[in-house]
């Protein structure tokens, strides 16, 4: 498993999202990434540069499930170099 460092994680949420909810979601994504097993990163270097993803919340989806999906997308991008 390779080492991965994330310098900054920015989530854009709808304007009416309470700040507390945004912080919780960010924390959950971070935990999901901390538990992800990375194979070594993009091109074997562990460097992915900027990763931009669009993940939309599903109707009735919990913050935990949304965070897990976001973390999985980031991990797949870093591992696969998409």
């Amino acid at each position: 498993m390779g080492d991965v460092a994330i310098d900054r994680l920015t989530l854009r949420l709808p304007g009416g999202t309470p700040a507390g909810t945004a912080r919780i979601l960010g924390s959950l994504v971070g935990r999901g990434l901390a538990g992800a097993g990375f194979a070594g990163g993009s091109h074997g270097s562990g460097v992915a540069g900027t990763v931009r993803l669009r993940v939309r919340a599903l109707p009735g989806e919990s913050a935990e499930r949304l965070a897990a999906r976001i973390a999985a997308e980031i991990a797949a991008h870093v591992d696969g170099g998409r």
Side-chain angles (χ1 to χ4, degrees):
M1 179 183 337
D3 290 336
V4 175
I6 297 174
D7 294 326
R8 181 175 62 190
L9 174 64
T10 303
L11 302 173
R12 291 188 186 174
L13 303 171
T17 304
T21 300
R23 279 191 293 276
I24 290 168
L25 184 61
S27 177
L28 290 169
V29 170
R31 287 184 198 159
L33 290 170
F38 292 97
S42 179
H43 310 293
S45 67
V47 176
T50 298
V51 176
R52 294 184 189 270
L53 304 168
R54 181 171 293 211
V55 180
R56 295 192 185 271
L58 302 173
E61 184 173 37
S62 69
E64 291 82 3
R65 181 66 191 127
L66 176 58
R69 289 195 308 116
I70 293 169
E73 286 288 326
I74 294 169
H77 186 89
V78 171
D79 272 346
R82 290 196 262 163

